Amino acid sequence: MKLPLQLCVVAFSLTATATPLIAQTPNPRQNQVHTESQGNNKPSFLPKILSDIKIKRQPVKSSLLYEGMTQAEVEKVMGKSTDIKVFSNPDMHIEILNYRQESVITKVSMIDGYLSGIACEVKTITTNDVPAFAQGIKIGMSRQEVLKLMGEPISEQRNDISIYKLERLAYAKDGQLPVNIILTDGRVEAMNVGLETPAKILGIILPAEPAMPKSGSVSQRIRVGMNPQQVISIYGQPTFVQPSVFKQQKVVDFVYAALNTDASTRFTFIDDVLTRFSFIPQANLYRSK
């Protein structure tokens, strides 16, 4: 049975870190929008954003989660999600639990009440010396939420050259330092004091290696932060491997497909670190538990 595509895909992305810089405040009456597009002219800020990609690893609560957990078990670790997206058909009921308050923003997919996938997208924000008028800005906010809180920016800059839709919104108030708010694909990615674009906005923070129990059934469960060898030791060699590149880093997808069924399993590694996994079961598999 073929399932609708939207029931088989969880949207995943990873994010960034910012470095505060100070710049002169422009005339607040000059509200300008500058859009950069692909062409012969060299972009003014894209090279800064893509330069010097830095990788860090940090512990994440989602490394305690694994496939097959109930929603109550997930909430015991992560807390209740206030941002839930629901997709359903007669064969499956899918809920995507978004945990934007985590230092590593996490999406947890539940099929028929059981955990079937996790995606980590790390976003950090630099708040050192951020003036009072911008303290309400949070990672993951939508563009509309920023405008509602901050009003119209004094200037905007857009760039759609890379795989990301990048935006920079500049704000300034009399007597306070100016602030840049950086968005990717319509969500707040980072913020910095001053009006210079932070150079390391597209850095990568990956999940730390999980603390695995030495024995018991959960010792053989997949967790984010694992390396490819750990996954292979549990699942064996993948059906096929898909290499790619993300933010100048090596990406490898392991895909395990079951013959003559729609069931499949996918693991995504960035720089040999498992950052997401998804289990698409046969229809009604979890309902039989």
Side-chain angles (χ1 to χ4, degrees):
M1 178 179 296
K2 295 294 183 183
L3 299 174
L5 180 60
Q6 66 268 29
L7 293 180
C8 297
V9 178
V10 178
F12 303 110
S13 60
L14 288 173
T15 57
T17 184
T19 302
L21 298 171
I22 305 295
Q24 296 295 319
T25 305
N27 186 340
R29 290 172 294 185
Q30 295 177 345
N31 189 339
Q32 301 176 346
V33 178
H34 175 64
T35 301
E36 295 175 351
S37 58
Q38 197 164 6
N40 295 327
N41 294 329
K42 187 176 181 180
S44 63
F45 79 102
L46 183 64
K48 293 181 182 179
I49 290 178
L50 295 181
S51 66
D52 193 21
I53 299 294
K54 184 178 180 180
I55 297 178
K56 295 195 301 182
R57 296 186 69 174
Q58 68 181 51
V60 295
K61 286 198 294 187
S62 56
S63 68
L64 299 174
L65 305 179
Y66 49 82
E67 186 264 347
M69 294 180 83
T70 66
Q71 189 160 332
E73 290 172 327
V74 171
E75 291 177 350
K76 187 175 180 180
V77 175
M78 304 293 296
K80 285 186 176 293
S81 172
T82 58
D83 181 359
I84 302 176
K85 292 180 171 56
V86 178
F87 309 91
S88 190
N89 74 0
D91 295 310
M92 287 187 183
H93 178 77
I94 296 180
E95 294 187 13
I96 309 300
L97 313 180
N98 293 286
Y99 291 93
R100 296 188 179 278
Q101 76 277 14
E102 297 297 315
S103 57
V104 177
I105 295 177
T106 304
K107 297 177 185 288
V108 179
S109 60
M110 310 290 297
I111 295 182
D112 295 333
Y114 293 88
L115 191 153
S116 65
I118 298 175
C120 295
E121 47 173 326
V122 181
K123 296 175 185 276
T124 59
I125 192 163
T126 300
T127 57
N128 294 338
D129 300 321
V130 169
F133 77 89
Q135 287 288 342
I137 298 299
K138 304 296 182 184
I139 285 298
M141 272 187 172
S142 68
R143 190 180 194 277
Q144 291 74 22
E145 289 172 322
V146 172
L147 295 179
K148 183 178 180 180
L149 180 67
M150 301 287 289
E152 291 295 326
I154 58 175
S155 66
E156 300 179 47
Q157 194 170 33
R158 301 172 187 163
N159 187 307
D160 296 335
I161 292 178
S162 70
I163 63 174
Y164 305 98
K165 293 182 179 179
L166 303 173
E167 294 180 89
R168 183 179 69 174
L169 308 180
Y171 289 90
K173 287 193 175 182
D174 293 341
Q176 299 186 56
L177 293 170
V179 167
N180 258 337
I181 299 173
I182 312 298
L183 300 93
T184 60
D185 296 330
R187 293 281 179 177
V188 174
E189 175 94 10
M191 179 168 63
N192 68 291
V193 176
L195 298 176
E196 294 293 329
T197 302
K200 293 179 172 54
I201 185 173
L202 292 183
I204 303 174
I205 304 178
L206 300 175
E209 184 174 351
M212 297 294 294
K214 295 181 180 180
S215 61
S217 59
V218 296
S219 66
Q220 295 296 301
R221 301 289 188 141
I222 299 297
R223 301 174 191 249
V224 294
M226 282 182 161
N227 59 49
Q229 291 71 34
Q230 288 173 307
V231 172
I232 289 174
S233 70
I234 296 173
Y235 269 80
Q237 292 296 329
T239 308
F240 57 92
V241 176
Q242 294 178 325
S244 58
V245 176
F246 176 78
K247 297 182 185 178
Q248 303 177 10
Q249 305 303 314
K250 178 185 70 174
V251 178
V252 174
D253 279 275
F254 285 2
V255 179
Y256 297 79
L259 293 177
N260 302 318
T261 74
D262 292 314
S264 66
T265 303
R266 178 182 292 265
F267 304 103
T268 299
F269 303 89
I270 297 178
D271 199 40
D272 289 336
V273 177
L274 183 63
T275 60
R276 67 182 184 183
F277 63 80
S278 61
F279 297 82
I280 305 301
Q282 291 176 276
N284 299 314
L285 173 66
Y286 289 125
R287 293 183 185 180
S288 65
K289 288 192 175 185

